[in-house]
């Protein structure tokens, strides 16, 4: 057994057994921390759960899909319709090579976003649910399925990272520094708005939101035959797993909201629109970095970013992508609170015309996240 160096184990009654347990140690605190604070058994319990993971061994990408690898260089790596900056006159004027470079880096940023999202926002939450540290009393099968989600998401992060490494080799174009995805900073800012007694709850809500949104990338990109097959297959593999995750996290929300106290609902409810926007608002800093790298001046970058994402159209596009998540929060009664409903209204998430957003506005949400797709 590694780490023993052949030394005898301490016997019962020795001085070692009387050493303090250091309850404040980092790893012990990490093991005890819950997503929802308080005593789980004291909260209302919803016992129903219908698992979508009964055939996980037969369906999960990590179980049955091969490693996708780019083989030959291609002219197009990302749909230009999903990255509107490449259609702006200031960018088009720089020639097709600039457009190709920006679209390749858009794919790099998408893959990096996936890796970071899974590792920082989804896997830690799913792992706590699996370990019984959610702060909720959940059905045993629900905890078991959370372990499968941890495995799925680790695979998504790994194949996104590996694909990026191979893509650099095949194209000869380094990924460069796209920076830390904006959702990380935005989630920190949201957490800072919560009272200390409900700290951690934002992580669970963010995971629920990120897993129940609809995005053009996972749904549209696999069907775009202009792209290399390995790219389409990689995104299709991801989308198939996420269909099951979508249903699972909708169920997590159904268990969570009735279990929260009125004070907890009032604390986190008005921040849900901010969490939705944290995920769906374009990462303008990252876009600016990419535009600067191809030679645009600062004033040109401001013009491109401003004109490609008009505020009103962006709000419509966010509302469209967020519609499933908004519906789920409505179903559990989150919007029964007047302050929460007001926050959703102010964010444009309940606008009557949100559902009629055109195909043109659909692409506006896609420069930031991979999003999720409904099963």
């Amino acid at each position: 057994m590694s780490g023993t160096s052949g030394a005898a184990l301490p016997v019962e009654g020795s001085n070692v057994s009387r050493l303090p347990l250091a309850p404040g140690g980092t790893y012990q605190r990490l093991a005890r921390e819950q997503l929802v604070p308080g005593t789980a058994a004291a909260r209302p319990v919803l016992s129903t759960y219908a698992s979508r993971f009964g055939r996980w061994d037969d369906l999960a990408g990590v179980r049955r899909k091969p490693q996708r690898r780019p083989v030959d260089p291609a002219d197009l790596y990302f749909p230009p319709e999903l990255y509107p900056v490449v259609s702006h006159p200031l960018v088009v004027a720089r020639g097709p090579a600039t457009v190709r470079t920006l679209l390749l880096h858009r794919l790099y940023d998408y893959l990096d976003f996936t890796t970071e999202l899974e590792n920082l926002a989804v896997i830690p939450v799913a792992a706590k649910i699996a370990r019984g540290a959610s702060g909720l009393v959940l059905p045993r099968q629900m905890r078991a399925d959370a372990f499968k989600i941890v495995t799925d998401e680790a695979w998504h992060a790994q194949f996104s990272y590996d694909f990026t490494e191979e893509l650099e080799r095949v194209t000869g174009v380094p990924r460069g520094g796209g920076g830390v995805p904006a959702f990380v900073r935005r989630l920190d800012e949201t957490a800072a708005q919560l009272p200390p007694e409900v700290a951690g709850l934002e992580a669970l809500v963010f995971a629920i939101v990120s897993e129940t949104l609809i995005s053009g990338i996972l749904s549209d990109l696999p069907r775009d035959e202009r792209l290399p097959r390995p790219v389409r297959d990689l995104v299709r593999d991801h989308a198939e797993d996420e269909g099951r995750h979508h249903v699972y996290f909708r169920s997590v929300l159904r268990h969570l909201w009735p279990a929260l106290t009125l004070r907890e609902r009032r604390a986190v409810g008005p921040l849900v629109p901010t969490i939705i926007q944290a995920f769906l608002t374009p990462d303008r800093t990252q876009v600016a970095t990419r535009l600067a790298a191809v030679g645009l001046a600062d004033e040109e970058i401001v013009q491109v970013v401003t004109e490609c994402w008009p505020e009103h159209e962006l709000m419509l596009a966010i509302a469209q992508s967020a519609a499933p998540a908004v519906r789920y929060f409505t179903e559990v009664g989150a919007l029964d609170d007047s302050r929460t409903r007001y926050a959703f209204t102010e964010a444009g998430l309940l606008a009557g015309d949100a559902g009629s957003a055109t195909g043109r506005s659909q692409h506006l949400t896609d420069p930031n996240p991979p999003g999720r797709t409904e099963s």
Side-chain angles (χ1 to χ4, degrees):
M1 182 174 178
S2 62
T4 62
S5 302
L9 294 174
V11 297
E12 186 176 0
S14 69
N15 289 335
V16 174
S17 66
R18 294 194 292 273
L19 291 177
L21 295 177
T26 299
Y27 292 101
Q28 292 187 57
R29 288 199 305 272
L30 182 63
R32 290 193 302 268
E33 283 176 354
Q34 296 181 167
L35 294 168
V36 181
T39 304
R43 297 180 179 274
V45 176
L46 179 66
S47 60
T48 58
Y49 172 65
S51 176
R52 293 291 296 271
F53 291 81
R55 297 184 58 219
W56 181 76
D57 283 313
D58 299 322
L59 299 176
V62 68
R63 293 296 205 192
R64 67 183 185 93
K65 297 293 179 67
Q67 179 81 299
R68 309 297 184 180
R69 300 184 185 278
V71 179
D72 300 307
D75 290 330
L76 187 67
Y77 280 103
F78 200 86
E81 298 82 6
L82 299 183
Y83 198 36
V85 297
V86 299
S87 299
H88 193 281
L90 289 176
V91 174
V92 173
R94 293 182 172 268
T98 294
V99 171
R100 286 196 298 270
T101 297
L102 285 170
L103 288 171
L104 173 58
H105 280 100
R106 177 66 193 102
L107 179 59
Y108 281 147
D109 290 338
Y110 163 71
L111 295 170
D112 181 62
F113 184 98
T114 300
T115 300
E116 293 294 275
L117 175 72
E118 310 299 26
N119 278 313
L120 298 178
V122 183
I123 291 174
V125 168
K128 282 190 174 293
I129 294 174
R131 291 179 49 246
S134 66
L136 304 171
V137 176
L138 299 174
R140 183 182 298 271
Q141 186 59 52
M142 202 168 183
R143 289 178 54 186
D145 288 347
F147 270 118
K148 297 180 176 70
I149 290 176
V150 171
T151 302
D152 285 344
E153 302 294 32
W155 173 236
H156 299 162
Q158 180 184 335
F159 70 45
S160 296
Y161 175 84
D162 290 345
F163 198 90
T164 298
E165 295 285 302
E166 287 292 308
L167 197 56
E168 286 186 303
R169 182 185 62 79
V170 167
T171 63
V173 178
R175 76 189 79 177
V180 176
F183 84 84
V184 179
R185 182 189 70 253
R186 293 166 182 168
L187 187 54
D188 276 338
E189 292 169 352
T190 303
Q193 298 180 57
L194 281 174
E197 58 269 24
V198 292
L201 190 52
E202 80 288 338
L204 181 53
V205 174
F206 186 84
I208 291 169
V209 166
S210 70
E211 296 288 298
T212 55
L213 297 171
I214 300 294
S215 167
I217 293 181
L218 286 187
S219 59
D220 297 343
L221 195 148
R223 299 193 295 266
D224 193 333
E225 296 188 359
R226 298 171 299 175
L227 307 179
R229 177 170 291 278
V231 173
R232 289 183 282 135
D233 288 343
L234 179 97
V235 178
R236 182 180 293 108
D237 293 347
H238 192 179
E240 289 177 0
D241 286 340
E242 291 302 337
R244 288 183 291 277
H245 299 182
H246 183 117
V247 176
Y248 179 87
F249 277 94
R250 181 184 184 182
S251 183
V252 171
L253 178 59
R254 287 173 171 168
H255 284 77
L256 168 67
W257 209 258
L260 297 179
T261 66
L262 183 60
R263 183 179 181 185
E264 289 167 337
R265 294 178 201 171
R266 287 175 173 172
V268 74
L271 294 180
V272 174
T274 303
I275 291 172
I276 290 172
Q277 292 168 334
F279 191 87
L280 289 175
T281 302
D283 190 340
R284 294 180 174 92
T285 301
Q286 189 177 76
V287 174
T289 299
R290 294 308 189 188
L291 293 175
V294 297
L296 270 70
D298 289 349
E299 61 273 14
E300 292 177 314
I301 293 172
V302 171
Q303 181 180 346
V304 171
V305 172
T306 301
E307 293 178 357
C308 285
W309 289 288
E311 193 63 29
H312 177 66
E313 292 190 6
L314 179 59
M315 287 180 67
L316 287 177
I318 289 175
Q320 185 179 47
S321 292
V326 172
R327 184 169 72 251
Y328 302 155
F329 277 95
T330 302
E331 289 173 351
V332 297
L335 276 68
D336 294 348
D337 174 67
S338 60
R339 288 180 63 247
T340 298
R341 188 171 189 86
Y342 178 79
F344 273 77
T345 302
E346 284 293 290
L349 297 176
L350 299 180
D353 60 353
S356 63
T358 63
R360 179 168 177 264
S361 67
Q362 170 64 40
H363 72 252
L364 295 174
T365 61
D366 288 322
N368 185 33
R372 305 297 179 188
T373 181
E374 215 168 0
S375 62

